[in-house]
C-alpha cells in the first residue's frame, strides 16, 4: 500500500502540471497550487515510511517508493487513473472530486495500520484530501465556480 500511495502522489502533480498556464481566475490557480503542494507533502510522508528504520520494520518492498522510476508506456503508474491526462480544468475538478474521494478511503484504511509511521502520517493527509474534494465539488472554491468550467 505504501508503494501505491507513494506512486500516486507525484503522478497527480505530473498530470496537472500545465493547468496553471490556463487558470481563468486567481482562486483556481491558488487551489491548484495548494493541491499540488499537499500532494508533494503526501509523497514526503510516504517516503518517511521508507527510511531504513521504517523499511526494516515493514520489509524491503516499501523502499521502491523512494526510488525515482521513470514512467513510460512500458512502465506506467500502478493505478490506471494516474496514467490519464488532465488537459483542462473540468478534468481537474472531476479528478479532485472522484479520484481524491477514493484516495480518502484508501488513506482511512492506511490510518488503521499497525505500522505506526504509516498510521501517523495518514491523519493530516486525510484532512488535506477533504480539501481536494472541496476543490472538485466547488470547482475551485468560493468565487472559482462562477461561470462554466474551463
Amino acid at each position: 500500500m505504501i508503494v501505491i500511495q507513494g506512486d500516486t502522489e507525484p503522478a497527480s502533480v505530473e498530470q496537472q502540471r500545465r493547468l496553471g498556464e490556463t487558470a481563468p481566475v486567481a482562486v483556481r490557480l491558488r487551489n491548484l497550487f495548494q493541491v499540488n503542494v499537499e500532494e508533494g507533502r503526501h509523497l514526503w510522508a510516504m517516503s518517511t515510511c521508507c527510511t531504513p528504520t521504517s523499511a526494516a520494520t515493514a520489509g524491503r518492498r516499501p523502499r521502491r517508493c523512494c526510488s525515482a522510476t521513470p514512467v513510460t508506456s512500458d512502465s506506467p503508474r500502478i493505478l490506471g487513473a494516474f496514467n490519464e491526462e488532465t488537459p483542462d480544468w473540468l478534468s481537474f475538478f472531476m479528478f479532485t472530486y472522484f479520484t481524491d474521494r477514493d484516495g480518502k478511503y484508501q488513506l482511512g484504511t492506511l490510518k488503521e495500520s499497525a505500522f505506526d509511521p504509516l498510521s501517523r502520517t495518514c491523519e493530516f493527509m486525510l484532512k488535506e484530501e477533504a480539501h481536494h474534494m472541496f476543490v472538485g465539488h466547488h470547482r475551485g472554491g468560493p468565487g472559482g465556480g462562477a461561470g462554466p468550467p474551463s
Side-chain angles (χ1 to χ4, degrees):
M1 292 299 284
I2 295 171
V3 173
I4 292 169
Q5 194 66 36
D7 185 60
T8 62
E9 303 302 349
S12 63
V13 174
E14 290 169 7
Q15 286 177 311
Q16 302 157 9
R17 69 185 177 277
R18 296 276 186 214
L19 286 179
E21 298 169 358
T22 61
V25 292
V27 71
R28 286 189 181 172
L29 183 61
R30 182 209 167 281
N31 279 316
L32 172 67
F33 285 158
Q34 183 172 349
V35 166
N36 283 310
V37 165
E38 290 169 355
E39 297 294 8
R41 191 169 30 237
H42 298 178
L43 175 60
W44 181 260
M46 289 297 103
S47 70
T48 63
C49 295
C50 298
T51 62
T53 304
S54 296
T57 304
R60 297 179 58 92
R61 185 166 165 76
R63 293 178 146 263
R64 180 176 168 214
C65 74
C66 297
S67 63
T69 306
V71 177
T72 65
S73 58
D74 295 331
S75 177
R77 293 286 182 191
I78 296 169
L79 299 178
F82 295 93
N83 293 311
E84 301 298 324
E85 294 292 322
T86 306
D88 52 50
W89 285 91
L90 181 58
S91 298
F92 171 68
F93 297 137
M94 294 299 101
F95 186 90
T96 55
Y97 188 67
F98 293 110
T99 306
D100 282 335
R101 180 177 303 278
D102 185 60
K104 176 185 121 178
Y105 292 111
Q106 180 176 325
L107 288 170
T109 301
L110 294 175
K111 183 180 170 218
E112 302 301 321
S113 171
F115 182 49
D116 191 54
L118 177 61
S119 179
R120 284 192 321 246
T121 62
C122 289
E123 185 70 35
F124 78 88
M125 292 170 65
L126 280 164
K127 291 175 184 162
E128 292 177 346
E129 282 312 301
H131 173 259
H132 302 180
M133 293 184 313
F134 172 86
V135 168
H137 181 73
H138 295 284
R139 291 188 289 151
S150 323

